[in-house]
Every structure is written in structure tokens, then in C-alpha cells.
Amino acid sequence: MIVKQLSDILGTEQDVKAETWNSRRLLLKKDGVGFSLHDTLIKAGTETEIWYKHHVEAVYCIEGEGEIEVVESGAIYPIQPGTLYVLDGHEKHLLRGKSQMRMLCVFNPPCTGNEVHDAEGAYPLEV
């Protein structure tokens, strides 16, 4: 059994900060459960280009408002508490925070913990 508290992760190497987001990584590849789980804050008034070409990501919004735009089609979907989206087609997208959003994110394959978006907006695949 694994039991963790968010407060135990804050300020550690599993609390990864970037210009437009802050990802508190609760479960990682080293935990051996086959996925990673992140409690992520998207900063208000920001836009982040993302392309998880190596991962499937499921995202559930628990706080705040924003939108996701699929780059290829231009389709825009509002995000608010209770919204779930899954990037099961590895869609390149723009994530916009109208207010600070708190998102629960699941990645498969699991992240190792040190990932940040590269120039393409992707996380590298670490095996």
C-alpha cells in the first residue's frame, strides 16, 4: 500500500515548477503502479503549448476555469470543475488558464518525476 500527503511533496524535487504551471507529482514510475498521478496548478492568464506524443494523459479539473484548444482542428473546449479530457490521440493542444486551475493528471506510461516540456511541448519518454 502507498499512502502519501500532498504536504510531504511540496518543496521537494517532486514539486516541479515552470513558468505557466506547477506539477506536484504524487505517483511516479518508481512507485511501480503503471501510471503517474500529478496534482497540477495552471497559472491564471497563461497559455501553454503541449504535445504529449509519448504519453496518454487524462485530466480532471477540480478548481478554476480555462480552455483547451486542439491545434490541428482549432476546436476549443471550456474547462471548469468537473471537466475531464483525455489526450488519447496525442493531440497537440493549447491549454489556457482563465483563472488558476487545479487539475488531477494521470500519465501512461508513467513519468519519472523530472520531466518538463521540451521545445515541442512534449515530455521525453524515459524507459
Side-chain angles (χ1 to χ4, degrees):
M1 176 186 280
I2 299 170
V3 178
K4 297 183 180 187
Q5 297 289 326
L6 178 60
S7 60
D8 296 334
I9 290 167
L10 298 176
T12 72
E13 69 276 354
Q14 287 181 231
D15 184 4
V16 179
K17 297 176 179 161
E19 185 177 334
T20 60
W21 52 267
N22 180 17
S23 178
R24 294 87 63 90
R25 291 154 182 201
L26 297 161
L27 291 173
L28 295 167
K29 182 178 181 179
K30 66 183 178 183
D31 293 306
V33 296
F35 60 90
S36 59
L37 176 66
H38 309 200
D39 182 333
T40 300
L41 302 175
I42 304 299
K43 296 178 183 178
T46 64
E47 177 180 272
T48 308
E49 184 173 346
I50 306 171
W51 180 30
Y52 293 125
K53 60 185 179 178
H54 304 297
H55 298 84
V56 171
E57 181 193 29
V59 179
Y60 183 72
C61 178
I62 58 173
E63 187 177 289
E65 293 186 6
E67 64 185 23
I68 183 170
E69 179 178 349
V70 180
V71 171
E72 185 176 305
S73 68
I76 297 174
Y77 302 94
I79 300 172
Q80 60 192 20
T83 300
L84 167 75
Y85 65 87
V86 180
L87 300 159
D88 59 335
H90 305 282
E91 296 87 354
K92 184 179 276 193
H93 59 285
L94 299 170
L95 184 59
R96 298 182 185 107
K98 292 182 180 179
S99 61
Q100 178 174 281
M101 294 189 293
R102 185 173 181 196
M103 319 282 264
L104 296 179
C105 309
V106 176
F107 285 87
N108 186 19
C111 294
T112 61
N114 59 355
E115 292 87 354
V116 293
H117 299 117
D118 65 18
E120 294 182 305
Y123 284 162
L125 182 58
E126 298 187 22
V127 290

